[in-house]
Amino acid sequence: MNVREAIRVWWRPLTCVGIAASVAVNGVLIPLLKQEPVELMGWAAVITACATAFGVREWGKIKGADSNDS
């Protein structure tokens, strides 16, 4: 597998892992380390944006816009 094929196959899953990791770090880890509460309005916006990103990915998979398309 060359670099271009690897990018085409792995960019979506890696993006989803990155989104999930950012939610965990910014919503759980950083507030725990700083011993501060989470600002709930901002946190709700982050969750909404992440859910939308995952929804768009799933919608694309259902419609056939998978990374295996040429």
Side-chain angles (χ1 to χ4, degrees), residues 28-64:
V28 178
L29 185 62
I30 292 174
L32 282 175
L33 292 175
K34 289 186 171 185
Q35 297 180 353
E36 296 177 355
V38 177
E39 195 269 305
L40 293 179
M41 291 298 285
W43 185 237
V46 168
I47 295 298
T48 302
C50 292
T52 303
F54 282 118
V56 167
R57 172 163 163 54
E58 293 305 316
W59 178 77
K61 285 173 61 176
I62 290 169
K63 292 294 185 182

